[in-house]
Amino acid sequence: MDTLLAITSRREVRDYADRPIPEDEVRTILEAGRISGSSKNRQPWRFLVVEDPEVRDKVAASVYAPENVHGAALVIAITVTGKGPTSLDAGRAAQNMMLAAWNDGIGACPNGVADSEAMAGALGVSAGEQPVNVLTFGYPARPRDPARRSPEEWLARADRKPLDEVVERL
């Protein structure tokens, strides 16, 4: 898929089909996160694939939209350690994973952590490691066709502020 088309057509998917994601696709998603750039190439993240049903329930209880976790075929919690732009680095990794998934027809949604302490306990992370996001993935329950529109058409339909409201040239 064309990169701009992938970016402009990707929407959050919260309603997933009851279909597993093949392991080679899971690996592609994880590799896309791993290869993301980070400050001084420190890679301050860990990607925790949440498979255990009990852990998944605890993770779901710690995000703002638990139903996204319950319905997903793949759940990845992102944790960070250290100082510096770790949240930026985690965001770059998350976006890479979601775009790689979308390239293969897999939908995704980032889920904010509502209770960081409970999430850390559910994941069993070490001191100094902080959960920052939970990504849910799955094939969309309603099929999506990114190529049905051009990137320009997707941009025109986007519910976003106009470009001239977010860009200022100095």
Side-chain angles (χ1 to χ4, degrees):
M1 182 184 309
D2 172 78
T3 304
L4 185 58
L5 178 60
I7 292 167
T8 58
S9 68
R10 199 191 86 68
R11 299 292 186 270
E12 309 310 347
V13 175
R14 295 175 179 90
D15 191 19
Y16 303 110
D18 186 19
R19 177 178 162 199
I21 298 173
E23 191 56 38
D24 63 323
E25 296 286 352
V26 172
R27 182 177 177 89
T28 296
I29 292 166
L30 292 167
E31 286 285 14
R34 181 185 72 84
I35 200 67
S36 298
S38 67
S39 176
K40 299 181 183 177
N41 202 27
R42 287 179 296 170
Q43 295 180 276
W45 53 64
R46 264 198 326 148
F47 309 138
L48 307 174
V49 179
V50 184
E51 297 174 325
D52 182 280
E54 287 182 34
V55 175
R56 192 178 275 213
D57 285 343
K58 291 176 184 175
V59 166
S62 301
V63 299
Y64 290 105
E67 61 279 2
N68 293 344
V69 174
H70 290 303
L74 172 64
V75 176
I76 301 172
I78 301 176
T79 65
V80 295
T81 56
K83 297 183 180 200
T86 56
S87 293
L88 172 65
D89 291 346
R92 293 173 72 186
Q95 188 73 357
N96 272 14
M97 287 191 266
M98 292 186 292
L99 286 170
W102 188 234
N103 185 66
D104 293 329
I106 300 166
C109 185
N111 297 270
V113 178
D115 185 341
S116 191
E117 234 176 85
M119 178 73 71
L123 297 171
V125 300
S126 61
E129 189 174 14
Q130 177 183 352
V132 293
N133 209 309
V134 174
L135 303 178
T136 53
F137 296 88
Y139 291 99
R142 186 177 49 86
R144 310 278 174 99
D145 179 15
R148 76 179 184 272
R149 294 186 180 97
S150 70
E152 294 74 24
E153 290 169 317
W154 282 109
L155 283 168
R157 296 175 57 90
D159 184 19
R160 301 291 190 274
K161 291 179 181 179
L163 192 61
D164 63 352
E165 285 186 32
V166 297
V167 174
E168 182 177 347
R169 295 180 186 265
L170 304 175

